[in-house]
């Protein structure tokens, strides 16, 4: 009896170890795809963003019980939400797929809204406003989107999230550009250019010059 019992314990330990390795591997993959999708958002590479986001969402939350990722969950929700809204908007000719991406964006936004309500309005409200702005852009509620972009920018500034102030200005610039208001977009791109430089992201700032000089 005893040797068999030892064998059972060892087998159980091995299974747990395999689960732990699998869980950590899944988390690693999820982090890799998140980094790819966030970089694609920053560098405005839509196809790369869509490919990486598909992989990111296909993995889902599997493995999260096994280990703690080094990337904060709220950060992943923010960027995956922004990417989802962007993709959904760009493929609106494919209604079913577009709605799927919009739903993903809304789910991410809802999670950040919960954090703002329960954890820290100071840390998360600017992120809520930005995701809400992108959602309203997708839904073609442009007047509401304008207010929310400005709220995201002002709250980021007041709460000293310099990189997110830059990002909110940039996304507002794309909003105005894509809705046929280039003159207004220049103001926001100019602010984004300034804030990215202030943050130390000169390469990213330089990418915005094409929106400032009319090229």
């Amino acid at each position: 009896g005893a040797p068999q019992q030892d064998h059972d314990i060892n087998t159980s330990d091995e299974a747990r170890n395999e689960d732990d390795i699998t869980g950590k591997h899944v988390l690693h993959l999820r982090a890799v795809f998140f980094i790819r999708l966030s970089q694609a958002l920053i560098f405005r590479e839509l196809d790369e963003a869509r490919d990486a986001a598909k992989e990111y969402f296909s993995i889902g939350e599997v493995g999260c019980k096994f280990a703690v990722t080094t990337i904060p969950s709220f950060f992943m929700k923010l960027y995956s939400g922004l990417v989802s809204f962007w993709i959904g908007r760009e493929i609106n000719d494919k209604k079913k797929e577009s709605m799927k991406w919009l739903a993903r964006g809304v789910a991410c936004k809802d999670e950040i809204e919960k954090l703002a309500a329960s954890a820290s309005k100071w840390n998360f409200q600017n992120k809520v406003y930005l995701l809400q702005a992108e959602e309203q852009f997708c839904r073609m509620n442009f007047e509401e989107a304008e207010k929310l972009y400005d709220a995201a920018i002002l709250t980021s500034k007041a709460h000293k999230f310099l990189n997110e102030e830059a990002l909110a200005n940039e996304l507002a610039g794309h909003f105005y550009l894509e809705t046929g208001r280039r003159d207004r977009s220049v103001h926001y791109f100019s602010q984004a250019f300034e804030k990215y430089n202030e943050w130390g992201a000169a390469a990213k700032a330089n990418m915005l010059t094409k929106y400032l000089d009319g090229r």
Side-chain angles (χ1 to χ4, degrees):
Q4 181 62 45
Q5 183 179 12
D6 288 344
H7 175 72
D8 290 343
I9 292 171
N10 290 338
T11 301
S12 177
D13 287 343
E14 287 172 7
R16 279 198 296 270
N17 287 338
E18 286 180 8
D19 283 347
D20 188 48
I21 291 167
T22 302
K24 288 176 180 177
H25 177 65
V26 168
L27 273 180
H28 174 72
L29 276 178
R30 198 158 182 260
V32 167
F33 288 123
F34 169 74
I35 291 167
R36 279 181 52 192
L37 75 83
S38 59
Q39 288 178 338
L41 176 71
I42 291 167
F43 293 106
R44 304 300 291 180
E45 296 169 344
L46 180 64
D47 290 341
E48 170 65 11
R50 182 165 47 189
D51 290 346
K54 280 181 180 177
E55 296 290 349
Y56 172 84
F57 282 109
S58 72
I59 294 170
E61 302 295 335
V62 176
C64 290
K65 65 183 178 179
F66 296 99
V68 177
T69 179
T70 55
I71 303 172
S73 176
F74 75 84
F75 194 63
M76 298 174 91
K77 295 293 185 186
L78 172 62
Y79 276 82
S80 59
L82 293 174
V83 163
S84 295
F85 285 132
W86 180 32
I87 295 169
R89 194 165 57 245
E90 292 294 329
I91 60 168
N92 59 13
D93 57 321
K94 302 174 183 175
K95 189 166 181 62
K96 187 175 180 181
E97 188 177 353
S98 177
M99 292 300 292
K100 180 175 70 175
W101 285 105
L102 181 59
R104 286 169 170 165
V106 170
C108 292
K109 180 208 67 174
D110 289 348
E111 290 297 317
I112 300 291
E113 285 178 340
K114 288 176 188 174
L115 286 171
S118 64
S120 172
K121 195 170 183 180
W122 180 274
N123 286 332
F124 299 114
Q125 190 60 51
N126 68 312
K127 301 167 182 62
V128 169
Y129 286 142
L130 187 54
L131 286 163
Q132 289 174 339
E134 288 285 290
E135 179 185 5
Q136 295 309 312
F137 182 8
C138 291
R139 298 189 188 282
M140 300 183 73
N141 296 327
F142 296 155
E143 188 174 340
E144 187 64 22
E146 290 175 23
K147 296 174 185 175
L148 289 164
Y149 282 118
D150 285 342
I153 292 163
L154 291 172
T155 310
S156 296
K157 183 179 182 66
H159 297 180
K160 303 188 186 306
F161 294 117
L162 182 59
N163 60 320
E164 290 169 5
E165 183 184 354
L167 178 62
N169 270 291
E170 181 189 0
L171 294 182
H174 285 295
F175 162 70
Y176 284 107
L177 186 63
E178 291 170 29
T179 53
R181 293 171 286 178
R182 186 186 179 280
D183 288 347
R184 290 195 69 179
S185 78
V186 171
H187 164 75
Y188 290 94
F189 283 129
S190 178
Q191 289 296 305
F193 177 84
E194 179 183 319
K195 296 303 174 182
Y196 278 124
N197 271 318
E198 188 178 338
W199 187 43
K204 170 60 185 176
N206 289 337
M207 289 181 62
L208 300 180
T209 57
K210 64 183 178 182
Y211 301 113
L212 301 176
D213 60 19
R215 285 203 301 268

